[in-house]
Amino acid sequence: MATASAPKIFRNYINGEWVEARGGKVIEDRNPANTDELVGMFPASGAEDVERAVEAAKAAYNKWRLTPAPKRAEILFHAAEILVARKEDYSRDMTREMGKVLAETRGDVQEAIDMTYLMAGEGRRQFGHTTPSELPDKFAMAVRSPIGVAGLITPWNFPMAIPSWKAMPALICGNTVVLKPAEDTPLSTYNLTQVLAEAGLPPGVLNVVFGYGPDAGAPMLNNPDVGLVSFTGSTEVGRIVSQACAPTFKKCHLEMGGKNIIIVMDDANLDLAIEGAVWGGFGTSGQRCTAASRVAVQKGVYRQFVEKFVARVKALKVGDGLDPATHMGPCINEQQLQTVIKYVDIGSAEGAKLSAGGHRLETGVHARGWFHEPTVFTDCDPEMRVCQEEIFGPVVSVIPFDSFDDAISIANGVKYGLSAAIYTRNVNQAFRAQRDLETGIVYVNAPTIGAETHLPFGGTKNTGNGHREAGLAALDFYSEWKTVYVDYSDKLQRAQIDN
Ligand code: UN1
């Protein structure tokens, strides 16, 4: 079992076997709450390993494509049941390598379970269209057709949920997979892979290559045998992925940054909005692409909101996510912590008022981890860098505004478009907001985080490139439409001419 306390050496999963990386280099998976704890050692794979994995996926494709989807689904269903049985162990493993609190890692594993059951159900659906032909004795339909080898590159903040968001729809549609998980959280992907293997996934259908992005992710992008790529991560890396996919016309799905907002109107249930802002801003230490890193509050309730919100944030307990008393865990690694520290300086220098937090925590129980205080800037101008740029850490910027129209233009005045929320009791305002907010996800009276697996997930502008994951939208990415005409008239019938 992967939960053993002694550090274990892990391998890649290629063609149904656990194999060493060619180069023999390793990456240490350490606990961000206590870097003395070595969770495991994972291969630092390179181009050759990726090539082997793609070859295995390519070789397995034809048989998997021809396996009836309901049969593919049985394997996924079985995998979901194994995940349910191991949820607690896998959640603990995830907290140890990722740092977020146990309630949240349980949610992450649950999200993987939900997605796996959902896509198992799609084994008996994957509906296409039938439609009348314009000609007599002719049948017309559009069916979903798999694409080939799917290259998946996943982040560390949802180490089991996001790999499952990508792998499950890819598999149910009949593709085979090469997955490169984030180097900070490989154990959770290892656990997921183990489950799929035990559930009976044939060799080569899912291959996992551990390592750093430039070494183990990039080689997938220009491999001619990879038909589609799905990437979740930063906008900067997303651009590189997109450009690398262009020469070979790979279908490419990008899920990137966010600068999500909670709008609090004067008529809102203020306590509910505060609770939502705390959860949306500091859940997962703000390390979600959906994190509510901006809160815009109408001036009638602004002072009252700030007072109560700041008090709530100051009371948050930061620590080891395995401790039930902890509200917020560490940042994932030193670099992420340094980014947070840098933005606290930037915010202070540009005149935002530091109202809570603002410092690294590095003594006592925090001495061995990448902890930072939950931090709130108030009286912010929407154009400040702390209100424009994604920080991906526990920093929330609070912005006062006058009118509903001001709130919408502040909300839309960023280059990202993932998630937005409005707290109001006015149904007209709620509906106008859902129409006018330029984001892929809108919440009314709930924070910006908390997407469910059976609805489309993704964003506009610099957040995405027009595709969505999760829900039925995922099937559109992981399959291609094939339009089929069957003429049973026994004569040549010319469309547009003979009808
Ligand atoms: C992410 O931050 O990359 O809606 C995904 C949410 C989660 C998924 C977040 N269900 O916050």
Side-chain angles (χ1 to χ4, degrees):
M1 197 78 195
T3 42
S5 55
K8 193 175 150 184
I9 295 171
F10 293 85
R11 299 194 171 114
N12 289 331
Y13 187 66
I14 298 178
N15 207 19
E17 284 171 20
W18 297 99
V19 295
E20 266 169 43
R22 286 277 163 87
K25 283 189 242 140
V26 293
I27 300 174
E28 291 182 345
D29 181 14
R30 287 189 178 269
N31 183 343
N34 172 13
T35 54
D36 286 345
E37 187 187 343
L38 184 56
V39 177
M41 313 259 271
F42 286 79
S45 311
E48 254 188 279
D49 304 298
V50 175
E51 209 170 296
R52 278 173 76 191
V54 173
E55 265 167 36
K58 191 183 174 197
Y61 174 60
N62 211 32
K63 195 155 172 223
W64 184 243
R65 159 180 93 80
L66 296 173
T67 303
K71 287 281 163 213
R72 301 198 287 257
E74 282 171 19
I75 299 171
L76 264 56
F77 190 87
H78 188 193
E81 292 192 305
I82 302 174
L83 281 173
V84 169
R86 302 207 185 135
K87 179 174 169 181
E88 193 58 23
D89 286 342
Y90 287 171
S91 306
R92 286 179 178 275
D93 278 356
M94 195 188 294
T95 293
R96 285 171 60 223
E97 71 171 348
M98 192 276 164
K100 60 187 175 183
V101 297
L102 204 46
E104 290 189 38
T105 52
R106 287 185 187 125
D108 193 310
V109 177
Q110 187 58 46
E111 210 162 325
I113 293 167
D114 295 344
M115 183 56 84
T116 308
Y117 277 131
L118 176 71
M119 288 301 150
E122 283 308 317
R124 285 187 185 268
R125 282 190 294 267
Q126 286 187 55
F127 296 134
H129 319 298
T130 59
T131 184
S133 162
E134 65 188 41
L135 291 156
D137 297 329
K138 193 173 173 190
F139 187 87
M141 64 182 163
V143 296
R144 292 186 183 279
S145 181
I147 294 168
V149 177
L152 313 179
I153 303 175
T154 56
W156 45 261
N157 65 337
F158 277 81
M160 193 176 279
I162 294 181
S164 78
W165 287 10
K166 299 187 194 299
M168 302 311 167
L171 294 171
I172 204 64
C173 287
N175 306 285
T176 54
V177 169
V178 177
L179 169 59
K180 203 297 281 179
E183 64 273 14
D184 284 300
T185 53
L187 179 57
S188 297
T189 304
Y190 167 86
N191 287 338
L192 184 67
T193 309
Q194 183 72 43
V195 166
L196 282 162
E198 282 176 43
L201 207 62
V205 171
L206 170 76
N207 305 276
V208 179
V209 178
F210 296 101
Y212 297 107
D215 305 324
M220 288 192 218
L221 308 177
N222 44 29
N223 188 313
D225 291 326
V226 173
L228 72 153
V229 166
S230 178
F231 165 82
T232 298
S234 71
T235 297
E236 295 72 54
V237 177
R239 189 168 287 114
I240 296 169
V241 170
S242 175
Q243 285 168 349
C245 286
T248 45
F249 304 112
K250 288 188 202 332
K251 197 171 181 183
C252 169
H253 159 249
L254 304 171
E255 169 51 42
M256 304 174 284
K259 194 70 192 175
N260 315 290
I261 196 165
I262 291 179
I263 298 168
V264 183
M265 302 301 297
D266 278 346
D267 72 339
N269 175 339
L270 206 60
D271 288 331
L272 184 69
I274 289 162
E275 215 182 329
V278 171
W279 171 230
F282 300 103
T284 326
S285 308
Q287 300 173 117
R288 292 195 191 209
C289 45
T290 49
S293 53
R294 298 185 294 161
V295 181
V297 187
Q298 202 167 11
K299 284 186 178 160
V301 291
Y302 181 76
R303 285 291 147 214
Q304 208 186 336
F305 176 93
V306 165
E307 194 183 316
K308 286 188 171 182
F309 178 58
V310 165
R312 282 286 302 274
V313 172
K314 284 183 172 165
L316 291 175
K317 193 166 178 295
V318 180
D320 186 330
L322 289 177
D323 177 349
T326 298
H327 298 115
M328 193 184 95
C331 298
I332 186 69
N333 56 31
E334 186 174 13
Q335 192 193 344
Q336 210 63 40
L337 174 65
Q338 290 306 336
T339 302
V340 171
I341 292 169
K342 182 184 90 181
Y343 273 102
V344 171
D345 286 347
I346 290 171
S348 305
E350 57 192 350
K353 186 171 163 203
L354 185 61
S355 297
H359 305 98
R360 179 180 179 179
L361 294 162
E362 50 188 332
T363 57
V365 292
H366 301 118
R368 306 299 307 152
W370 310 120
F371 295 100
H372 194 279
E373 287 178 321
T375 297
V376 178
F377 281 117
T378 56
D379 301 354
C380 296
D381 182 285
E383 295 307 319
M384 289 174 173
R385 286 183 66 190
V386 287
C387 296
Q388 290 286 325
E389 298 172 19
E390 184 176 51
I391 301 172
F392 225 70
V395 183
V396 172
S397 302
V398 187
I399 307 163
F401 69 86
D402 286 309
S403 67
F404 175 81
D405 288 345
D406 291 342
I408 298 295
S409 79
I410 290 167
N412 291 339
V414 292
K415 63 181 182 179
Y416 300 110
L418 183 53
S419 182
I422 184 165
Y423 281 81
T424 178
R425 285 162 162 147
N426 179 328
V427 69
N428 298 352
Q429 267 176 182
F431 269 84
R432 269 185 214 124
Q434 65 81 20
R435 181 193 61 197
D436 294 340
L437 289 165
E438 296 166 352
T439 52
I441 307 169
V442 173
Y443 290 92
V444 176
N445 294 327
T448 56
I449 67 177
E452 300 175 30
T453 54
H454 55 303
L455 286 101
F457 181 93
T460 62
K461 303 197 268 187
N462 283 13
T463 297
N465 65 339
H467 298 291
R468 291 288 183 272
E469 56 193 341
L472 291 185
L475 302 179
D476 289 333
F477 181 72
Y478 290 100
S479 65
E480 219 128 29
W481 284 114
K482 182 177 284 180
T483 306
V484 183
Y485 299 98
V486 181
D487 192 319
Y488 53 98
S489 69
D490 238 359
K491 60 182 184 227
L492 174 68
Q493 301 197 85
R494 295 170 300 176
Q496 292 90 37
I497 295 170
D498 292 332
N499 59 343

